[in-house]
Amino acid sequence: MLLRSVSKLLVSMSVFACSSLFAAPLVVDLANVQSNAPFGDPANTVLTFDVGANSAITGFSFTVNLSAYPPSWLSELGLAVSNSSVSNGFTVNPGIGNDMSGTASYAAAYDLADLGLAFNVGADGILRLEFYEDVDDLRGADGQWNFGNLTFDVEAAGGPDQPGEVPEPASLLLLGAGLAALGYAGRRPARKPS
């Protein structure tokens, strides 16, 4: 009975450990993020995320709702995605072609590797997002990213076949469970006095 419980525990722990071996995408939820001025202006909203040293950004998708305040246009609201030194990355304007003020929703997905736009974040592991406005039409915010999400496909440094230097906590958990199971299996039942 107890051996069956231990084997069920080991199976569930191995499923947990295996599911953590594949990096989950980074999902950024947006709510009322403002775009103020041209790229690089200190008034712009900048978000940073630690995705792991030298990780590669290989895919990107978004589902967003934007508002551009008159006289700004929806096509002018932009997002710059880069490493922390802003030396590698890409930009996207979800409302491209909508040369008007107002509110609209947009969605798209890109395989950055296929487009030749995949990039590594660098040794610090920081992914930098800057929300900007192509043309500064107003004092203050020219537009707003009302709600939605951005999703980034992140591949750990060294690729999926080359593990990093530090094992994941789930791997350590699985190793510990295996050692505990070996200890349990090697235990001898106590002898009854004759």
Side-chain angles (χ1 to χ4, degrees), residues 10-191:
L10 287 176
V11 168
S12 62
M13 290 172 80
S14 65
V15 168
F16 172 73
C18 290
S19 67
S20 69
L21 292 176
F22 304 100
L26 170 66
V27 178
V28 179
D29 292 321
L30 302 176
N32 304 318
V33 176
Q34 296 186 340
S35 289
N36 293 306
F39 177 75
D41 192 290
N44 289 334
T45 302
V46 174
L47 304 176
T48 58
F49 300 91
D50 187 347
V51 295
N54 299 312
S55 291
I57 307 302
T58 59
F60 171 66
S61 63
F62 61 84
T63 302
V64 295
N65 179 273
L66 308 177
S67 290
Y69 310 134
S72 289
W73 293 346
L74 289 163
S75 62
E76 296 172 346
L77 294 173
L79 169 66
V81 178
S82 67
N83 58 7
S84 62
S85 62
V86 194
S87 60
N88 286 320
F90 63 93
T91 61
V92 64
N93 292 63
I96 196 76
N98 284 352
D99 295 341
M100 61 184 183
S101 301
T103 299
S105 294
Y106 305 94
Y110 304 101
D111 184 329
L112 299 177
D114 283 351
L115 296 171
L117 297 173
F119 68 96
N120 290 72
V121 294
D124 63 2
I126 300 298
L127 177 65
R128 181 182 187 275
L129 310 179
E130 181 175 342
F131 299 85
Y132 67 92
E133 169 74 11
D134 284 335
V135 178
D136 194 5
D137 298 310
L138 301 168
R139 174 174 252 161
D142 286 26
Q144 181 169 280
W145 300 64
N146 299 316
F147 59 87
N149 59 58
L150 311 172
T151 303
F152 299 91
D153 295 334
V154 180
E155 186 177 303
D161 297 331
Q162 300 175 6
E165 295 177 22
V166 180
E168 295 182 31
S171 299
L172 291 176
L173 182 66
L174 184 59
L175 176 64
L179 291 174
L182 284 175
Y184 176 77
R187 225 178 61 167
R188 292 184 180 178
R191 292 187 183 174

